[in-house]
């Protein structure tokens, strides 16, 4: 009995080491060891980068060898490059301006500004009881926008503020809204006859967040760059942004503010430039920086109940998105 027990084969499960297992496929996500999995990801990424560089070098050598007969450069496929054509796009491919669009621009609410018949006078305010981040943002806006004046709201309604601003000959009113102690909305109303635009405000960084000193912002009137506003709606929004600033910049201040539209997001940047040579310019960001997303464009001054909207996007994200490649600005 004891001999039979001794002769019985011992059934022990041999624990294999991960190094002994040869992977059947190259599915890195199946590697259970985190350190080895990350190492494989780094190795795979390095190989892909090496192959990409090799393909680029081969194409460059081919272009140098063939000269004018070389194939055209490859254009990367992005959402911007595959953008769907919009029927309201302003300007033809040859750069000519549509006569009908130009006539509309000459008769819109901002035509007097571009005719230089008045100087902008801006009132900047906020929601009731603003917190420190909103207060700092308003102070820096009033420093950037020439001939602007910050005032506290003191529980006044927007309609009452609009009436008071018209009486005091303000040309625009800017209202900064906040939520959870952070600025999250921007309302711009052109006086006295509108239009009124409501933007979602995000990614706000004041000068202290960027480790800059906003006191270094000089009082010179800045230059304004409006980039990539291609549709009729985008042109209207761009003209509204331009009307906040004086039409005669002071170039000795070397300040420039940029409104760059990309995929219907408007990125604001504020720089001071220093021209080194005819081919080299150094940019120094002054702050603040923020991002705007148009939510509605309303005819006339602010009226949330009976206002006539030229363009509005609903609360549901994808209601107006017939395609990810369609943009409105």
């Amino acid at each position: 009995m004891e001999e039979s027990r001794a002769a019985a084969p011992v059934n022990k499960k041999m624990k294999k080491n991960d190094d002994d297992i040869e992977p059947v496929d190259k599915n890195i996500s199946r590697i259970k060891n985190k350190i080895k999995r990350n190492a494989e990801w780094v190795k795979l990424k390095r190989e892909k980068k090496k192959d990409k560089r090799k393909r680029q070098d081969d194409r460059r050598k081919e272009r140098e060898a063939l000269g004018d007969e070389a194939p055209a450069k490859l254009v990367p496929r992005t959402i911007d490059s595959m953008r769907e054509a919009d029927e309201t796009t302003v300007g033809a491919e040859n750069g000519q301006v549509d006569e009908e669009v130009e006539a509309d621009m000459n008769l819109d609410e901002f035509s007097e500004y571009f005719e230089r018949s008045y100087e902008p006078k801006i009132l900047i305010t906020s929601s009731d009881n603003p917190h420190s981040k909103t207060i700092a943002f308003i102070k820096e806006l009033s420093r950037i926008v020439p001939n602007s004046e910050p005032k506290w709201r003191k529980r006044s309604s927007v309609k009452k503020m609009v009436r008071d601003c018209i009486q005091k000959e303000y040309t625009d009113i800017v209202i900064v809204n906040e939520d959870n102690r952070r600025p999250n909305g921007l309302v711009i109303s052109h006086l006295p006859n509108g239009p009124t635009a409501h933007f979602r405000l995000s990614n706000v960084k004041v000068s202290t967040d960027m480790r800059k000193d906003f006191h270094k912002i000089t009082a010179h009137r800045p230059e304004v760059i409006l980039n990539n506003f291609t549709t009729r709606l985008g042109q209207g929004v761009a003209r509204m942004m331009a009307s906040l600033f004086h039409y005669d910049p002071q170039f000795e201040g070397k300040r420039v503010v940029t409104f760059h539209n990309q995929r219907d997001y408007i990125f604001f940047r504020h720089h001071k430039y220093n021209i080194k040579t005819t081919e080299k310019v150094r940019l120094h960001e002054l702050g603040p920086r923020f991002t705007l997303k148009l939510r509605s464009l309303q005819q006339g001054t602010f009226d949330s109940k009976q206002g006539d909207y030229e363009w509005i996007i609903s609360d549901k994200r994808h209601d107006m998105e017939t395609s990810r490649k369609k943009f409105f600005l």
Side-chain angles (χ1 to χ4, degrees):
M1 192 71 178
E2 294 178 357
E3 292 178 358
S4 60
R5 288 180 180 176
V10 179
N11 188 13
K12 292 184 178 179
K13 293 182 179 180
M14 300 297 292
K15 188 175 181 180
K16 294 183 178 181
N17 191 3
D18 291 336
D19 297 335
D20 300 334
I21 301 176
E22 296 182 359
V24 179
D25 53 5
K26 294 184 178 180
N27 192 351
I28 300 176
S29 61
R30 291 187 178 182
I31 300 176
K32 296 182 179 180
N33 191 306
K34 182 178 180 180
I35 298 176
K36 293 183 178 180
R37 185 170 63 246
N38 290 340
E40 290 295 326
W41 278 118
V42 172
K43 182 179 178 181
L44 180 62
K45 189 175 181 180
R46 191 183 296 115
E47 291 177 355
K48 287 184 176 180
K49 189 175 181 180
K50 185 177 179 181
D51 293 340
K52 182 179 179 180
R53 191 182 296 111
K54 184 177 182 301
R55 292 194 301 269
Q56 291 174 347
D57 292 339
D58 293 342
R59 288 195 297 266
R60 179 178 54 80
K61 292 178 181 179
E62 184 181 7
R63 286 195 300 269
E64 293 176 354
L66 297 178
D68 296 336
E69 299 179 356
K73 288 185 177 182
L74 298 177
V75 179
R77 296 184 63 187
T78 62
I79 295 181
D80 290 332
S81 63
M82 296 186 293
R83 174 176 180 171
E84 294 181 357
D86 195 304
E87 58 184 7
T88 64
T89 300
V90 178
E93 294 181 356
N94 54 6
Q96 297 180 357
V97 180
D98 191 355
E99 295 180 358
E100 183 178 355
V101 174
E102 188 176 5
D104 290 341
M105 289 183 179
N106 293 331
L107 296 176
D108 67 358
E109 297 86 347
F110 308 103
S111 58
E112 293 183 0
Y113 165 80
F114 288 97
E115 291 172 358
R116 302 190 175 191
S117 61
Y118 69 89
E119 292 187 4
K121 183 181 178 182
I122 317 298
L123 175 70
I124 302 178
T125 185
S126 66
S127 55
D128 292 324
N129 301 321
H131 290 83
S132 58
K133 187 74 175 284
T134 306
I135 294 173
F137 181 61
I138 291 175
K139 286 182 179 180
E140 296 190 12
L141 278 183
S142 62
R143 191 100 175 175
I144 294 172
V145 181
N147 202 18
S148 61
E149 182 180 358
K151 283 191 175 182
W152 306 128
R153 188 163 174 173
K154 296 181 181 179
R155 302 188 181 276
S156 298
S157 64
V158 178
K159 292 184 179 180
K160 184 178 182 302
M161 288 191 298
V162 169
R163 290 194 298 267
D164 294 342
C165 288
I166 294 175
Q167 292 178 359
K168 296 179 181 180
E169 297 182 350
Y170 284 96
T171 60
D172 296 271
I173 180 171
V174 178
I175 305 172
V176 180
N177 297 322
E178 69 171 21
D179 186 30
N180 292 330
R181 301 189 175 191
R182 290 181 175 274
N184 72 329
L186 195 71
V187 178
I188 302 175
S189 184
H190 184 67
L191 305 177
N193 300 318
T196 301
H198 179 208
F199 298 92
R200 187 181 70 188
L201 181 62
S202 60
N203 300 329
V204 177
K205 286 190 176 182
V206 295
S207 298
T208 53
D209 297 333
M210 303 168 60
R211 297 181 180 179
K212 309 289 184 181
D213 185 9
F214 83 97
H215 293 93
K216 293 183 178 180
I217 301 175
T218 61
H220 296 90
R221 296 191 294 267
E223 305 168 52
V224 181
I225 297 177
L226 304 167
N227 189 27
N228 204 26
F229 294 91
T230 57
T231 65
R232 186 65 187 90
L233 175 64
Q235 288 283 316
V237 173
R239 288 167 71 86
M240 174 179 282
M241 297 297 183
S243 65
L244 298 176
F245 297 85
H246 200 281
Y247 42 75
D248 188 15
Q250 296 173 324
F251 297 100
E252 60 269 21
K254 298 182 180 180
R255 286 176 51 213
V256 57
V257 296
T258 305
F259 294 92
H260 174 72
N261 172 48
Q262 185 173 1
R263 302 181 189 177
D264 287 350
Y265 287 91
I266 303 173
F267 299 93
F268 175 86
R269 296 294 184 269
H270 179 209
H271 293 92
K272 185 172 184 178
Y273 61 87
N274 188 12
I275 301 176
K276 295 293 185 181
T277 62
T278 56
E279 299 179 353
K280 187 176 181 181
V281 178
R282 177 173 293 178
L283 289 177
H284 176 67
E285 189 170 3
L286 301 175
R289 61 165 63 175
F290 55 87
T291 305
L292 298 174
K293 173 78 171 178
L294 181 65
R295 298 187 64 88
S296 66
L297 184 65
Q298 179 183 355
Q299 295 179 357
T301 56
F302 181 84
D303 191 351
S304 59
K305 293 183 179 180
Q306 299 178 355
D308 187 11
Y309 288 91
E310 296 183 17
W311 187 88
I312 186 172
I313 189 168
S314 62
D315 292 335
K316 294 184 179 179
R317 179 183 175 189
H318 298 289
D319 277 1
M320 295 186 63
E321 293 183 3
T322 56
S323 171
R324 292 183 65 234
K325 304 171 187 176
K326 183 173 179 60
F327 305 110
F328 300 98
L329 299 183

